[in-house]
Amino acid sequence: GSRLHEAARAAGLPVIAEAFADRAYTAAGTLVPRGEPGAVVSDPDTAVKRALGFARDRAVTSIDGQRIEVDVRSLCVHGDTPGAADLARRVRDELTAAGVRVAAFI
């Protein structure tokens, strides 16, 4: 729902919405600023649960407990999140185990 997405669609460009397994969201559906407590999700179980929620339920729970509907096709784990490589591997493994198709965009 960003302005960039709207502009790209208006220009006839493809848009692939991305979500972040390792970040917290506000009730408005935006990322919690990094300077605020809880902005970065470093617990692997929480990140995996968040990734599965994006993929299967098309929703995420905001930092204040509200369910937010999302329409995303790409998931990100930030490289500067502690243990990022292991976290990304675990997210991929759990998504695959849950029957979620994981593939490159072509």
Side-chain angles (χ1 to χ4, degrees), residues 74-92:
S74 177
L75 287 176
C76 175
V77 172
H78 290 88
D80 61 347
T81 296
D86 289 335
L87 179 58
R89 202 173 293 108
R90 180 157 173 220
V91 165
R92 180 186 178 97

Side-chain angles (χ1 to χ4, degrees), residues 83-102:
D86 289 335
L87 179 58
R89 202 173 293 108
R90 180 157 173 220
V91 165
R92 180 186 178 97
D93 291 348
E94 295 286 344
L95 288 170
T96 301
V100 175
R101 183 175 170 260
V102 178

Side-chain angles (χ1 to χ4, degrees), residues 1 5 9 15-21 25 29 50-60 68-76 100 105:
H5 288 182
R9 285 187 185 103
V15 174
I16 298 173
E18 179 178 50
F20 304 92
Y25 284 80
R50 185 174 303 275
L52 288 168
F54 285 127
R56 292 189 308 197
D57 304 328
R58 298 282 187 218
V60 65
I68 302 167
E69 302 292 321
V70 295
D71 183 18
V72 300
R73 294 183 53 215
S74 177
L75 287 176
C76 175
V100 175
F105 295 103

